[in-house]
Amino acid sequence: MMADGRFAGRVALHGVAYLTLGFILMPLVFVTWLAFFAQEIPSFPPEGYSLKWFGAIANNRNFVTGLWTSMQVAIAATMIGLVLAVPASLILARRQFTGNAAMSQFLLLPLVVPGVVMGTAIYVFQIETEIATGLPILGSLGGLIAGHTLIVIPWTVRLVTASLAGLDRAAEEAAQSLGANQWTTFFRVTLPAIRPGVVAGALFGFVTSFGNLEMSLFLVGPGRITLPIAILQYLEWKIDPTVAAVSVLQILLIAGAMIITDRYVKLARVV
Amino acid sequence: MASLTLDGLTKSYGDVAVVKSVSLEVRDGEFLVLLGPSGCGKTTTLRMIAGFVPPSGGSIRIGDQDITRLPPWKRNAGLVFQSYALFPHMTVAQNVAFGLEMRKAARSEVGPRVAEALRLVRLDGYGERYPRQLSGGQQQRVALARALVIRPDVLLLDEPLSNLDAKLRLQVRLEIRALQQQTGLTTVMVTHDQEEALTMADRLVVMSDGAVRQVGTQSDLYERPADLFVADFVGRSTMIAGTVTAPGTFRSDGGLVLTCPASAPLGPATLALRPERLTMGLAARDLDNHVPGTASFVSYLGAMLDVHVRLNGTDHVVVQIPNKADGLAPAVGDTIEVGWPASACLVFPREAA
């Protein structure tokens, strides 16, 4: 009786797990499949297979510049997000001060606020700042990076704080007693110890920034579009498998980043 | 190598004083142990010496140099932590070399000194391993080598044996003591384990509530405890409450009239007795104090027997006797004569408790 119940439970658990996995993977599988369809209007079953849509990407200026802009923005925003997050996390994890908890929550806020709302808010802020100072902010690469930094920060802060919580402070004190000042201690002992959190935070920040559409829509200037915007614009006129091909490239890019990261840092241990 | 002097060292957090004016002199090459229950301020004192806790008052000197305001990295104190605190991303050799590197030691000098330190803790050949590949005892020895290799002025040990299992602990404490004597390092160790403290120390400092209760050798603390706290904390004692009614006369709350040293001050007092100073049976009759009682509990400790004897409705004592195969082990309920000399009575005025 007992054994039967346990067996049924295990079957149910596996069933649900595989169903969920299938549900998550299904769009990826279909998009990838679609990218190789020969015909222009997607329909089942496919009339044949072709690689021409991948070639079409290279001939589309929007996709090429979009990819380039997205890369620049995501990398810059991730770097800035890390430089801000590491000191912030150190303070949040180690200093007891009034408003500590509130500050932690505040830094996670960009995760909660809808992208459209945040885009509007930053848009208005940038316009007002531009009027007040005369500096060309709105539509500039810097303005776009500033916005993206905001959505990177919750990830970097979150993951760096988590890895700091597991760090034995005695190791830092040992370094200091051996003659290392605070800077040396940080770079030689603290940073190597929290490296998994830093790397994972960077990866998630990068992915978030790279895939962001809603906020970017408000912040891009003429002739400067990100890859998600390029995809959206393309879809307004056509639904041929070029979009699927671009998506496959994007999936490969992110999957590649994760695999490379996982080689150095076991992501499952951090997240 | 040098002496270490604490002068009126104090630490307060707001209104709460955790260390109250501690003054100590650790002689050159001496092994001093700070002993006390958790929360007594011993660890805070050690962390002030190491430089991680800024004192609220008082001063710390190594030799003639005042180090009270120096940051930890300028103190030249070797520190060993309870958690070992090895750098997980560095090999054993890199861990040990870290302090030399910080001191900008010549590359040609680092290798031999690291090897020498590892040989000292019997870990030669382990240099290329990572801390996670070592056992707890080995990690502890790496931590020790790392602290010793910088030739510190003082060696500070923060509960260094607490994370080791019981058997290893006995071995490591002898090793640490031998190393300390071999290197002649002025050493301060913090522990709450009195057996550890008694076996390792040259002198001990008993602390409670942030203050020093007594400083002395093992026999000072055991034979002549300064107050009831020390008598209770170091070794075992059974306590009898009562009053010193005349010089050399103690009347217990249970009505016993006992002979105690004439030096005991008059007034309410507590009498402490070490279990092994008490005698049972016929031999008890010849002693200054002898009282009939009933065995209420006998615990078998192997080499020794603990016999709990109820003397009346209020007072009871514990007598420790050797476990001889003479069939004389008392049973619960037996009537027993218990005796002890006046000199075995440790009498403390009640206010001091």
Side-chain angles (χ1 to χ4, degrees):
Chain A
M1 244 338 253
M2 263 305 273
D4 278 0
R6 202 174 295 171
F7 179 70
R10 193 174 302 167
V11 167
L13 182 67
H14 278 85
V16 172
Y18 282 114
L19 211 64
T20 311
L21 188 66
F23 190 69
I24 292 170
L25 287 179
M26 200 156 56
L28 298 185
V29 171
F30 272 94
V31 163
T32 312
W33 191 17
L34 192 64
F36 296 94
F37 280 19
Q39 77 268 36
E40 196 161 326
I41 308 292
S43 66
F44 289 93
E47 291 162 11
Y49 293 99
S50 161
L51 287 172
K52 65 182 170 192
W53 308 115
F54 288 92
I57 301 170
N59 296 325
N60 184 313
R61 251 180 57 90
N62 265 1
F63 283 143
V64 176
T65 58
L67 180 66
W68 174 233
T69 309
S70 281
M71 287 292 270
Q72 278 179 298
V73 170
I75 289 172
T78 303
M79 298 297 243
I80 298 170
L82 273 183
V83 168
L84 295 174
V86 172
S89 305
L90 278 170
I91 302 270
L92 287 173
R94 298 188 164 174
R95 292 279 160 83
Q96 292 304 316
F97 57 91
T98 355
N100 184 319
M103 186 71 80
S104 298
Q105 294 305 315
F106 183 73
L107 287 175
L108 300 184
L109 216 53
L111 277 183
V112 185
V113 178
V116 177
V117 175
M118 214 153 70
T120 316
I122 298 172
Y123 178 69
V124 173
F125 173 76
Q126 291 192 353
I127 288 182
E128 292 294 335
T129 317
E130 198 164 324
I131 292 170
T133 60
L135 296 168
I137 297 169
L138 191 68
S140 69
L141 191 62
L144 190 58
I145 290 171
H148 275 242
T149 303
L150 219 54
I151 55 173
V152 167
I153 281 178
W155 292 104
T156 47
V157 168
R158 203 45 216 249
L159 290 161
V160 173
T161 310
S163 61
L164 272 174
L167 174 65
D168 181 9
R169 292 209 66 184
E172 293 171 289
E173 293 182 343
Q176 295 195 355
S177 78
L178 291 167
N181 63 24
Q182 286 124 320
W183 285 106
T184 314
T185 302
F186 176 74
F187 285 110
R188 294 291 307 274
V189 176
T190 316
L191 203 52
I194 62 172
R195 203 184 60 160
V198 172
V199 173
L203 180 70
F204 282 85
F206 178 86
V207 170
T208 307
S209 163
F210 196 82
N212 180 274
L213 172 67
E214 309 94 312
M215 195 185 67
S216 305
L217 277 173
F218 289 88
L219 303 179
V220 288
R224 178 177 286 122
I225 60 171
T226 63
L227 188 60
I229 296 176
I231 294 174
L232 182 71
Q233 287 183 352
Y234 191 84
L235 276 173
E236 285 173 20
W237 306 103
K238 284 181 170 174
I239 51 163
D240 69 39
T242 311
V243 168
V246 172
S247 304
V248 168
L249 281 189
Q250 196 173 344
I251 291 166
L252 287 178
L253 189 81
I254 290 170
M258 283 187 132
I259 290 167
I260 291 168
T261 310
D262 202 56
R263 266 189 65 107
Y264 295 100
V265 175
K266 288 278 156 260
L267 287 176
R269 280 217 316 245
V270 192
V271 190
Chain B
M1 257 152 270
S3 62
L4 172 71
T5 313
L6 311 185
D7 193 4
L9 202 59
T10 300
K11 181 64 193 179
S12 312
Y13 293 100
D15 292 338
V16 187
V18 290
V19 174
K20 299 166 188 164
S21 191
V22 168
S23 296
L24 289 172
E25 169 88 43
V26 192
R27 296 171 204 133
D28 191 1
E30 184 177 37
F31 196 123
L32 189 86
V33 173
L34 302 182
L35 176 65
S38 46
C40 73
K42 57 189 192 299
T43 300
T44 307
T45 304
L46 192 84
R47 292 176 62 78
M48 284 196 278
I49 300 172
F52 298 123
V53 174
S56 313
S59 68
I60 307 165
R61 272 173 302 159
I62 291 180
D64 297 328
Q65 194 198 2
D66 188 320
I67 60 159
T68 318
R69 304 283 159 218
L70 282 185
W73 52 90
K74 292 191 176 162
R75 291 195 178 199
N76 203 31
L79 204 52
V80 177
F81 294 85
Q82 181 179 351
S83 59
Y84 322 133
L86 297 178
F87 309 132
H89 57 289
M90 297 185 199
T91 63
V92 167
Q94 286 167 339
N95 265 278
V96 178
F98 189 84
L100 296 174
E101 205 183 312
M102 292 302 122
R103 282 163 174 71
K104 312 242 185 307
R107 200 169 276 268
S108 58
E109 194 191 341
V110 172
R113 277 178 68 177
V114 168
E116 184 202 332
L118 286 177
R119 196 159 46 241
L120 204 58
V121 296
R122 297 188 294 105
L123 281 176
D124 18 357
Y126 283 79
E128 296 313 309
R129 301 212 194 171
Y130 281 89
R132 63 175 175 277
Q133 298 170 307
L134 302 181
S135 70
Q138 289 170 332
Q139 291 188 35
Q140 185 61 293
R141 303 215 297 268
V142 175
L144 206 56
R146 186 177 66 177
L148 292 173
V149 78
I150 60 170
R151 296 178 186 148
D153 293 324
V154 290
L155 181 63
L156 306 175
L157 309 172
D158 183 9
E159 306 250 7
L161 306 176
S162 304
N163 281 5
L164 301 176
D165 61 58
K167 201 152 197 176
L168 200 56
R169 207 177 297 173
L170 297 179
Q171 182 195 334
V172 175
R173 78 186 175 203
L174 295 176
E175 279 183 9
I176 291 182
R177 178 63 172 146
L179 262 178
Q180 187 269 338
Q181 285 175 329
Q182 197 178 331
T183 52
L185 272 173
T186 308
T187 303
V188 179
M189 181 174 91
V190 157
T191 183
H192 62 271
D193 181 330
Q194 57 155 309
E195 202 184 305
E196 195 173 297
L198 292 171
T199 44
M200 294 174 80
D202 288 319
R203 278 194 308 153
L204 302 103
V205 177
V206 180
M207 292 182 71
S208 84
D209 291 329
V212 171
R213 291 302 188 112
Q214 189 171 4
V215 183
T217 62
Q218 285 82 342
S219 67
D220 288 339
L221 301 186
Y222 196 78
E223 314 284 344
R224 295 171 291 282
D227 57 27
L228 196 58
F229 177 83
V230 178
D232 194 29
F233 192 73
V234 180
R236 283 194 310 156
S237 304
T238 37
M239 309 292 178
I240 298 176
T243 312
V244 179
T245 50
T249 307
F250 179 92
R251 175 184 285 275
S252 81
D253 290 351
L256 300 173
V257 177
L258 304 169
T259 311
C260 67
S263 56
L266 299 182
T270 301
L271 190 147
L273 292 168
R274 299 291 191 196
E276 73 280 5
R277 297 287 161 94
L278 275 60
T279 310
M280 287 185 356
L282 291 174
R285 301 222 169 128
D286 303 330
L287 298 170
D288 301 331
N289 298 298
H290 49 92
V291 185
T294 316
S296 60
F297 184 70
V298 178
S299 62
Y300 184 88
L301 303 174
M304 293 288 179
L305 293 178
D306 265 3
V307 185
H308 296 243
V309 182
R310 184 150 289 290
L311 304 177
N312 54 43
T314 317
D315 304 319
H316 90 284
V317 290
V318 179
V319 187
Q320 189 172 62
I321 55 167
N323 181 16
K324 289 186 187 142
D326 54 8
L328 286 180
V332 171
D334 286 359
T335 301
I336 293 170
E337 187 100 356
V338 181
W340 64 92
S343 62
C345 298
L346 303 166
V347 183
F348 303 100
R350 193 72 60 81
E351 290 80 15

